[in-house]
PDB file of all heavy atoms in Angstrom:
ATOM      1  N   ALA H   1    -115.434  14.036 166.435  1.00  0.00           N
ATOM      2  CA  ALA H   1    -116.134  14.060 167.751  1.00  0.00           C
ATOM      3  C   ALA H   1    -115.356  13.245 168.818  1.00  0.00           C
ATOM      4  O   ALA H   1    -115.211  13.667 169.961  1.00  0.00           O
ATOM      5  CB  ALA H   1    -117.538  13.421 167.604  1.00  0.00           C
ATOM      6  N   GLU H   2    -114.759  12.139 168.391  1.00  0.00           N
ATOM      7  CA  GLU H   2    -113.924  11.350 169.301  1.00  0.00           C
ATOM      8  C   GLU H   2    -112.670  12.130 169.732  1.00  0.00           C
ATOM      9  O   GLU H   2    -112.232  12.077 170.873  1.00  0.00           O
ATOM     10  CB  GLU H   2    -113.496  10.040 168.631  1.00  0.00           C
ATOM     11  CG  GLU H   2    -114.670   9.061 168.502  1.00  0.00           C
ATOM     12  CD  GLU H   2    -115.152   8.473 169.773  1.00  0.00           C
ATOM     13  OE1 GLU H   2    -114.397   8.331 170.752  1.00  0.00           O
ATOM     14  OE2 GLU H   2    -116.381   8.154 169.891  1.00  0.00           O
ATOM     15  N   ARG H   3    -112.089  12.851 168.743  1.00  0.00           N
ATOM     16  CA  ARG H   3    -110.882  13.636 169.072  1.00  0.00           C
ATOM     17  C   ARG H   3    -111.265  14.735 170.055  1.00  0.00           C
ATOM     18  O   ARG H   3    -110.580  15.028 171.014  1.00  0.00           O
ATOM     19  CB  ARG H   3    -110.367  14.257 167.804  1.00  0.00           C
ATOM     20  CG  ARG H   3    -109.167  15.163 168.022  1.00  0.00           C
ATOM     21  CD  ARG H   3    -108.754  15.841 166.742  1.00  0.00           C
ATOM     22  NE  ARG H   3    -107.810  16.899 167.076  1.00  0.00           N
ATOM     23  CZ  ARG H   3    -108.068  18.098 167.589  1.00  0.00           C
ATOM     24  NH1 ARG H   3    -109.310  18.373 167.951  1.00  0.00           N
ATOM     25  NH2 ARG H   3    -107.100  18.983 167.812  1.00  0.00           N
ATOM     26  N   ALA H   4    -112.433  15.352 169.893  1.00  0.00           N
ATOM     27  CA  ALA H   4    -112.875  16.414 170.752  1.00  0.00           C
ATOM     28  C   ALA H   4    -113.105  15.917 172.169  1.00  0.00           C
ATOM     29  O   ALA H   4    -112.858  16.549 173.173  1.00  0.00           O
ATOM     30  CB  ALA H   4    -114.213  17.014 170.235  1.00  0.00           C
ATOM     31  N   GLU H   5    -113.604  14.628 172.256  1.00  0.00           N
ATOM     32  CA  GLU H   5    -113.811  14.000 173.590  1.00  0.00           C
ATOM     33  C   GLU H   5    -112.446  13.802 174.307  1.00  0.00           C
ATOM     34  O   GLU H   5    -112.290  14.110 175.497  1.00  0.00           O
ATOM     35  CB  GLU H   5    -114.430  12.598 173.411  1.00  0.00           C
ATOM     36  CG  GLU H   5    -115.947  12.628 173.138  1.00  0.00           C
ATOM     37  CD  GLU H   5    -116.530  11.284 173.069  1.00  0.00           C
ATOM     38  OE1 GLU H   5    -115.745  10.324 173.344  1.00  0.00           O
ATOM     39  OE2 GLU H   5    -117.694  11.099 172.714  1.00  0.00           O
ATOM     40  N   LEU H   6    -111.435  13.406 173.516  1.00  0.00           N
ATOM     41  CA  LEU H   6    -110.131  13.263 174.048  1.00  0.00           C
ATOM     42  C   LEU H   6    -109.565  14.543 174.538  1.00  0.00           C
ATOM     43  O   LEU H   6    -108.916  14.598 175.621  1.00  0.00           O
ATOM     44  CB  LEU H   6    -109.210  12.595 172.987  1.00  0.00           C
ATOM     45  CG  LEU H   6    -107.971  11.753 173.471  1.00  0.00           C
ATOM     46  CD1 LEU H   6    -108.381  10.703 174.387  1.00  0.00           C
ATOM     47  CD2 LEU H   6    -107.258  11.276 172.297  1.00  0.00           C
ATOM     48  N   VAL H   7    -109.708  15.589 173.745  1.00  0.00           N
ATOM     49  CA  VAL H   7    -109.210  16.929 174.180  1.00  0.00           C
ATOM     50  C   VAL H   7    -109.829  17.328 175.487  1.00  0.00           C
ATOM     51  O   VAL H   7    -109.205  17.816 176.413  1.00  0.00           O
ATOM     52  CB  VAL H   7    -109.544  17.976 173.112  1.00  0.00           C
ATOM     53  CG1 VAL H   7    -109.214  19.387 173.624  1.00  0.00           C
ATOM     54  CG2 VAL H   7    -108.712  17.651 171.790  1.00  0.00           C
ATOM     55  N   GLN H   8    -111.142  17.110 175.601  1.00  0.00           N
ATOM     56  CA  GLN H   8    -111.831  17.475 176.859  1.00  0.00           C
ATOM     57  C   GLN H   8    -111.377  16.688 178.036  1.00  0.00           C
ATOM     58  O   GLN H   8    -111.244  17.199 179.121  1.00  0.00           O
ATOM     59  CB  GLN H   8    -113.377  17.339 176.658  1.00  0.00           C
ATOM     60  CG  GLN H   8    -114.147  17.820 177.805  1.00  0.00           C
ATOM     61  CD  GLN H   8    -113.892  19.275 178.090  1.00  0.00           C
ATOM     62  OE1 GLN H   8    -113.969  20.155 177.174  1.00  0.00           O
ATOM     63  NE2 GLN H   8    -113.646  19.683 179.325  1.00  0.00           N
ATOM     64  N   GLU H   9    -111.136  15.439 177.824  1.00  0.00           N
ATOM     65  CA  GLU H   9    -110.701  14.596 178.873  1.00  0.00           C
ATOM     66  C   GLU H   9    -109.287  15.038 179.386  1.00  0.00           C
ATOM     67  O   GLU H   9    -109.033  15.082 180.624  1.00  0.00           O
ATOM     68  CB  GLU H   9    -110.630  13.149 178.450  1.00  0.00           C
ATOM     69  CG  GLU H   9    -111.957  12.473 178.301  1.00  0.00           C
ATOM     70  CD  GLU H   9    -111.865  11.126 177.606  1.00  0.00           C
ATOM     71  OE1 GLU H   9    -110.776  10.689 177.237  1.00  0.00           O
ATOM     72  OE2 GLU H   9    -112.993  10.489 177.437  1.00  0.00           O
ATOM     73  N   TYR H  10    -108.419  15.423 178.440  1.00  0.00           N
ATOM     74  CA  TYR H  10    -107.102  15.918 178.892  1.00  0.00           C
ATOM     75  C   TYR H  10    -107.205  17.260 179.500  1.00  0.00           C
ATOM     76  O   TYR H  10    -106.448  17.549 180.471  1.00  0.00           O
ATOM     77  CB  TYR H  10    -106.122  15.925 177.680  1.00  0.00           C
ATOM     78  CG  TYR H  10    -105.669  14.580 177.274  1.00  0.00           C
ATOM     79  CD1 TYR H  10    -105.785  14.135 175.958  1.00  0.00           C
ATOM     80  CD2 TYR H  10    -105.102  13.746 178.227  1.00  0.00           C
ATOM     81  CE1 TYR H  10    -105.376  12.845 175.583  1.00  0.00           C
ATOM     82  CE2 TYR H  10    -104.625  12.449 177.861  1.00  0.00           C
ATOM     83  CZ  TYR H  10    -104.759  12.032 176.577  1.00  0.00           C
ATOM     84  OH  TYR H  10    -104.353  10.756 176.225  1.00  0.00           O
ATOM     85  N   ARG H  11    -108.142  18.063 179.105  1.00  0.00           N
ATOM     86  CA  ARG H  11    -108.307  19.361 179.770  1.00  0.00           C
ATOM     87  C   ARG H  11    -108.843  19.135 181.150  1.00  0.00           C
ATOM     88  O   ARG H  11    -108.465  19.833 182.128  1.00  0.00           O
ATOM     89  CB  ARG H  11    -109.340  20.199 178.997  1.00  0.00           C
ATOM     90  CG  ARG H  11    -108.740  20.751 177.658  1.00  0.00           C
ATOM     91  CD  ARG H  11    -109.743  21.710 177.021  1.00  0.00           C
ATOM     92  NE  ARG H  11    -110.056  22.849 177.876  1.00  0.00           N
ATOM     93  CZ  ARG H  11    -110.992  23.737 177.601  1.00  0.00           C
ATOM     94  NH1 ARG H  11    -111.748  23.580 176.600  1.00  0.00           N
ATOM     95  NH2 ARG H  11    -111.172  24.785 178.412  1.00  0.00           N
ATOM     96  N   ASP H  12    -109.729  18.160 181.401  1.00  0.00           N
ATOM     97  CA  ASP H  12    -110.250  17.836 182.740  1.00  0.00           C
ATOM     98  C   ASP H  12    -109.147  17.316 183.595  1.00  0.00           C
ATOM     99  O   ASP H  12    -109.232  17.418 184.877  1.00  0.00           O
ATOM    100  CB  ASP H  12    -111.372  16.780 182.614  1.00  0.00           C
ATOM    101  CG  ASP H  12    -112.610  17.346 181.915  1.00  0.00           C
ATOM    102  OD1 ASP H  12    -112.747  18.564 181.834  1.00  0.00           O
ATOM    103  OD2 ASP H  12    -113.394  16.506 181.420  1.00  0.00           O
ATOM    104  N   MET H  13    -108.121  16.762 183.006  1.00  0.00           N
ATOM    105  CA  MET H  13    -107.015  16.204 183.826  1.00  0.00           C
ATOM    106  C   MET H  13    -105.986  17.343 184.200  1.00  0.00           C
ATOM    107  O   MET H  13    -105.059  17.128 184.984  1.00  0.00           O
ATOM    108  CB  MET H  13    -106.200  15.188 183.022  1.00  0.00           C
ATOM    109  CG  MET H  13    -107.016  13.924 182.764  1.00  0.00           C
ATOM    110  SD  MET H  13    -106.238  12.794 181.603  1.00  0.00           S
ATOM    111  CE  MET H  13    -104.686  12.405 182.368  1.00  0.00           C
ATOM    112  N   GLY H  14    -106.228  18.568 183.656  1.00  0.00           N
ATOM    113  CA  GLY H  14    -105.429  19.720 184.055  1.00  0.00           C
ATOM    114  C   GLY H  14    -104.468  20.225 182.948  1.00  0.00           C
ATOM    115  O   GLY H  14    -103.711  21.215 183.191  1.00  0.00           O
ATOM    116  N   LEU H  15    -104.470  19.619 181.767  1.00  0.00           N
ATOM    117  CA  LEU H  15    -103.612  20.116 180.712  1.00  0.00           C
ATOM    118  C   LEU H  15    -104.227  21.368 180.065  1.00  0.00           C
ATOM    119  O   LEU H  15    -105.394  21.588 180.163  1.00  0.00           O
ATOM    120  CB  LEU H  15    -103.517  19.007 179.598  1.00  0.00           C
ATOM    121  CG  LEU H  15    -102.403  17.967 179.740  1.00  0.00           C
ATOM    122  CD1 LEU H  15    -102.664  17.081 180.946  1.00  0.00           C
ATOM    123  CD2 LEU H  15    -102.303  17.098 178.522  1.00  0.00           C
ATOM    124  N   THR H  16    -103.341  22.200 179.526  1.00  0.00           N
ATOM    125  CA  THR H  16    -103.814  23.424 178.887  1.00  0.00           C
ATOM    126  C   THR H  16    -104.522  23.051 177.580  1.00  0.00           C
ATOM    127  O   THR H  16    -104.305  21.925 177.079  1.00  0.00           O
ATOM    128  CB  THR H  16    -102.619  24.354 178.572  1.00  0.00           C
ATOM    129  OG1 THR H  16    -101.744  23.714 177.659  1.00  0.00           O
ATOM    130  CG2 THR H  16    -101.908  24.723 179.829  1.00  0.00           C
ATOM    131  N   GLU H  17    -105.274  23.990 177.034  1.00  0.00           N
ATOM    132  CA  GLU H  17    -105.917  23.714 175.771  1.00  0.00           C
ATOM    133  C   GLU H  17    -104.966  23.362 174.664  1.00  0.00           C
ATOM    134  O   GLU H  17    -105.168  22.412 173.908  1.00  0.00           O
ATOM    135  CB  GLU H  17    -106.753  24.972 175.358  1.00  0.00           C
ATOM    136  CG  GLU H  17    -107.412  24.844 174.035  1.00  0.00           C
ATOM    137  CD  GLU H  17    -108.557  23.855 174.022  1.00  0.00           C
ATOM    138  OE1 GLU H  17    -109.178  23.656 175.097  1.00  0.00           O
ATOM    139  OE2 GLU H  17    -108.899  23.319 172.963  1.00  0.00           O
ATOM    140  N   GLU H  18    -103.894  24.138 174.598  1.00  0.00           N
ATOM    141  CA  GLU H  18    -102.884  23.857 173.514  1.00  0.00           C
ATOM    142  C   GLU H  18    -102.270  22.468 173.654  1.00  0.00           C
ATOM    143  O   GLU H  18    -102.173  21.737 172.664  1.00  0.00           O
ATOM    144  CB  GLU H  18    -101.787  24.945 173.532  1.00  0.00           C
ATOM    145  CG  GLU H  18    -100.725  24.712 172.461  1.00  0.00           C
ATOM    146  CD  GLU H  18     -99.626  25.811 172.591  1.00  0.00           C
ATOM    147  OE1 GLU H  18     -99.729  26.686 173.448  1.00  0.00           O
ATOM    148  OE2 GLU H  18     -98.704  25.731 171.729  1.00  0.00           O
ATOM    149  N   THR H  19    -101.854  22.121 174.874  1.00  0.00           N
ATOM    150  CA  THR H  19    -101.255  20.814 175.063  1.00  0.00           C
ATOM    151  C   THR H  19    -102.210  19.690 174.842  1.00  0.00           C
ATOM    152  O   THR H  19    -101.861  18.653 174.222  1.00  0.00           O
ATOM    153  CB  THR H  19    -100.690  20.730 176.511  1.00  0.00           C
ATOM    154  OG1 THR H  19     -99.782  21.767 176.710  1.00  0.00           O
ATOM    155  CG2 THR H  19    -100.001  19.349 176.741  1.00  0.00           C
ATOM    156  N   ALA H  20    -103.469  19.855 175.290  1.00  0.00           N
ATOM    157  CA  ALA H  20    -104.497  18.847 175.103  1.00  0.00           C
ATOM    158  C   ALA H  20    -104.751  18.649 173.587  1.00  0.00           C
ATOM    159  O   ALA H  20    -104.869  17.524 173.147  1.00  0.00           O
ATOM    160  CB  ALA H  20    -105.760  19.215 175.774  1.00  0.00           C
ATOM    161  N   GLN H  21    -104.712  19.714 172.790  1.00  0.00           N
ATOM    162  CA  GLN H  21    -104.991  19.608 171.369  1.00  0.00           C
ATOM    163  C   GLN H  21    -103.796  18.863 170.691  1.00  0.00           C
ATOM    164  O   GLN H  21    -104.035  18.004 169.819  1.00  0.00           O
ATOM    165  CB  GLN H  21    -105.069  21.010 170.743  1.00  0.00           C
ATOM    166  CG  GLN H  21    -106.307  21.820 171.128  1.00  0.00           C
ATOM    167  CD  GLN H  21    -107.501  21.443 170.343  1.00  0.00           C
ATOM    168  OE1 GLN H  21    -107.460  20.620 169.438  1.00  0.00           O
ATOM    169  NE2 GLN H  21    -108.648  22.106 170.639  1.00  0.00           N
ATOM    170  N   ARG H  22    -102.558  19.135 171.103  1.00  0.00           N
ATOM    171  CA  ARG H  22    -101.449  18.544 170.484  1.00  0.00           C
ATOM    172  C   ARG H  22    -101.378  17.048 170.832  1.00  0.00           C
ATOM    173  O   ARG H  22    -101.084  16.223 169.921  1.00  0.00           O
ATOM    174  CB  ARG H  22    -100.101  19.213 170.997  1.00  0.00           C
ATOM    175  CG  ARG H  22    -100.019  20.653 170.441  1.00  0.00           C
ATOM    176  CD  ARG H  22     -98.742  21.317 171.019  1.00  0.00           C
ATOM    177  NE  ARG H  22     -97.570  20.582 170.722  1.00  0.00           N
ATOM    178  CZ  ARG H  22     -96.331  20.844 171.229  1.00  0.00           C
ATOM    179  NH1 ARG H  22     -96.190  21.829 172.103  1.00  0.00           N
ATOM    180  NH2 ARG H  22     -95.270  20.081 170.876  1.00  0.00           N
ATOM    181  N   VAL H  23    -101.689  16.664 172.101  1.00  0.00           N
ATOM    182  CA  VAL H  23    -101.699  15.297 172.472  1.00  0.00           C
ATOM    183  C   VAL H  23    -102.779  14.534 171.757  1.00  0.00           C
ATOM    184  O   VAL H  23    -102.531  13.427 171.210  1.00  0.00           O
ATOM    185  CB  VAL H  23    -101.862  15.146 173.980  1.00  0.00           C
ATOM    186  CG1 VAL H  23    -102.018  13.660 174.387  1.00  0.00           C
ATOM    187  CG2 VAL H  23    -100.697  15.766 174.707  1.00  0.00           C
ATOM    188  N   ALA H  24    -103.930  15.116 171.661  1.00  0.00           N
ATOM    189  CA  ALA H  24    -105.094  14.489 170.955  1.00  0.00           C
ATOM    190  C   ALA H  24    -104.719  14.275 169.440  1.00  0.00           C
ATOM    191  O   ALA H  24    -105.089  13.253 168.876  1.00  0.00           O
ATOM    192  CB  ALA H  24    -106.360  15.231 171.125  1.00  0.00           C
ATOM    193  N   ASP H  25    -104.077  15.284 168.904  1.00  0.00           N
ATOM    194  CA  ASP H  25    -103.724  15.205 167.470  1.00  0.00           C
ATOM    195  C   ASP H  25    -102.765  13.986 167.241  1.00  0.00           C
ATOM    196  O   ASP H  25    -102.952  13.283 166.248  1.00  0.00           O
ATOM    197  CB  ASP H  25    -103.081  16.461 166.953  1.00  0.00           C
ATOM    198  CG  ASP H  25    -104.113  17.572 166.801  1.00  0.00           C
ATOM    199  OD1 ASP H  25    -105.316  17.280 166.625  1.00  0.00           O
ATOM    200  OD2 ASP H  25    -103.673  18.751 166.719  1.00  0.00           O
ATOM    201  N   GLU H  26    -101.785  13.933 168.078  1.00  0.00           N
ATOM    202  CA  GLU H  26    -100.749  12.854 167.865  1.00  0.00           C
ATOM    203  C   GLU H  26    -101.396  11.474 168.115  1.00  0.00           C
ATOM    204  O   GLU H  26    -101.064  10.532 167.364  1.00  0.00           O
ATOM    205  CB  GLU H  26     -99.556  13.076 168.841  1.00  0.00           C
ATOM    206  CG  GLU H  26     -98.434  12.142 168.608  1.00  0.00           C
ATOM    207  CD  GLU H  26     -97.153  12.568 169.296  1.00  0.00           C
ATOM    208  OE1 GLU H  26     -97.099  13.752 169.724  1.00  0.00           O
ATOM    209  OE2 GLU H  26     -96.241  11.767 169.395  1.00  0.00           O
ATOM    210  N   ILE H  27    -102.249  11.366 169.167  1.00  0.00           N
ATOM    211  CA  ILE H  27    -102.863  10.054 169.373  1.00  0.00           C
ATOM    212  C   ILE H  27    -103.810   9.705 168.249  1.00  0.00           C
ATOM    213  O   ILE H  27    -103.863   8.548 167.811  1.00  0.00           O
ATOM    214  CB  ILE H  27    -103.678  10.131 170.731  1.00  0.00           C
ATOM    215  CG1 ILE H  27    -102.721  10.191 171.899  1.00  0.00           C
ATOM    216  CG2 ILE H  27    -104.586   8.943 170.852  1.00  0.00           C
ATOM    217  CD1 ILE H  27    -103.328  10.431 173.224  1.00  0.00           C
ATOM    218  N   SER H  28    -104.594  10.631 167.745  1.00  0.00           N
ATOM    219  CA  SER H  28    -105.569  10.394 166.780  1.00  0.00           C
ATOM    220  C   SER H  28    -104.926  10.050 165.424  1.00  0.00           C
ATOM    221  O   SER H  28    -105.603   9.446 164.547  1.00  0.00           O
ATOM    222  CB  SER H  28    -106.552  11.582 166.591  1.00  0.00           C
ATOM    223  OG  SER H  28    -107.186  11.866 167.791  1.00  0.00           O
ATOM    224  N   ALA H  29    -103.662  10.364 165.217  1.00  0.00           N
ATOM    225  CA  ALA H  29    -102.984  10.071 163.940  1.00  0.00           C
ATOM    226  C   ALA H  29    -102.797   8.587 163.719  1.00  0.00           C
ATOM    227  O   ALA H  29    -102.667   8.119 162.658  1.00  0.00           O
ATOM    228  CB  ALA H  29    -101.655  10.790 163.911  1.00  0.00           C
ATOM    229  N   ASN H  30    -102.799   7.821 164.843  1.00  0.00           N
ATOM    230  CA  ASN H  30    -102.604   6.387 164.734  1.00  0.00           C
ATOM    231  C   ASN H  30    -103.888   5.684 165.246  1.00  0.00           C
ATOM    232  O   ASN H  30    -104.194   5.688 166.435  1.00  0.00           O
ATOM    233  CB  ASN H  30    -101.436   5.946 165.573  1.00  0.00           C
ATOM    234  CG  ASN H  30    -101.048   4.464 165.407  1.00  0.00           C
ATOM    235  OD1 ASN H  30    -101.934   3.597 165.447  1.00  0.00           O
ATOM    236  ND2 ASN H  30     -99.759   4.193 165.211  1.00  0.00           N
ATOM    237  N   PRO H  31    -104.647   5.028 164.325  1.00  0.00           N
ATOM    238  CA  PRO H  31    -105.900   4.402 164.793  1.00  0.00           C
ATOM    239  C   PRO H  31    -105.785   3.434 165.877  1.00  0.00           C
ATOM    240  O   PRO H  31    -106.701   3.362 166.769  1.00  0.00           O
ATOM    241  CB  PRO H  31    -106.387   3.762 163.506  1.00  0.00           C
ATOM    242  CG  PRO H  31    -105.746   4.484 162.395  1.00  0.00           C
ATOM    243  CD  PRO H  31    -104.422   4.846 162.932  1.00  0.00           C
ATOM    244  N   GLU H  32    -104.784   2.578 165.915  1.00  0.00           N
ATOM    245  CA  GLU H  32    -104.628   1.575 166.961  1.00  0.00           C
ATOM    246  C   GLU H  32    -104.320   2.256 168.318  1.00  0.00           C
ATOM    247  O   GLU H  32    -104.855   1.798 169.349  1.00  0.00           O
ATOM    248  CB  GLU H  32    -103.557   0.567 166.576  1.00  0.00           C
ATOM    249  CG  GLU H  32    -103.997  -0.379 165.506  1.00  0.00           C
ATOM    250  CD  GLU H  32    -105.284  -1.136 165.837  1.00  0.00           C
ATOM    251  OE1 GLU H  32    -105.357  -1.639 166.954  1.00  0.00           O
ATOM    252  OE2 GLU H  32    -106.142  -1.224 164.981  1.00  0.00           O
ATOM    253  N   ILE H  33    -103.424   3.219 168.297  1.00  0.00           N
ATOM    254  CA  ILE H  33    -103.124   3.950 169.514  1.00  0.00           C
ATOM    255  C   ILE H  33    -104.360   4.648 169.997  1.00  0.00           C
ATOM    256  O   ILE H  33    -104.691   4.633 171.227  1.00  0.00           O
ATOM    257  CB  ILE H  33    -101.982   4.918 169.362  1.00  0.00           C
ATOM    258  CG1 ILE H  33    -100.674   4.196 169.116  1.00  0.00           C
ATOM    259  CG2 ILE H  33    -101.779   5.785 170.557  1.00  0.00           C
ATOM    260  CD1 ILE H  33     -99.447   5.017 168.745  1.00  0.00           C
ATOM    261  N   ALA H  34    -105.078   5.269 169.046  1.00  0.00           N
ATOM    262  CA  ALA H  34    -106.303   6.032 169.430  1.00  0.00           C
ATOM    263  C   ALA H  34    -107.298   5.077 170.118  1.00  0.00           C
ATOM    264  O   ALA H  34    -107.956   5.436 171.096  1.00  0.00           O
ATOM    265  CB  ALA H  34    -106.920   6.660 168.169  1.00  0.00           C
TER     266      ALA H  34
END
């Protein structure tokens, strides 16, 4: 759910769905960065 929130926030910033998914995946892989 937190990852989905992040994806939506990046989409709201203007990123494409694919880019938002990739950025959220990379961020979510590290708990401290997330």
Side-chain angles (χ1 to χ4, degrees):
E2 290 291 329
R3 178 189 169 283
E5 285 183 4
L6 203 57
V7 170
Q8 186 59 50
E9 287 170 0
Y10 285 127
R11 289 185 62 189
D12 293 341
M13 293 169 61
L15 274 64
T16 64
E17 176 70 26
E18 180 182 359
T19 302
Q21 293 277 0
R22 291 176 60 188
V23 173
D25 284 342
E26 186 165 346
I27 290 173
S28 300
N30 187 313
E32 287 304 314
I33 293 177

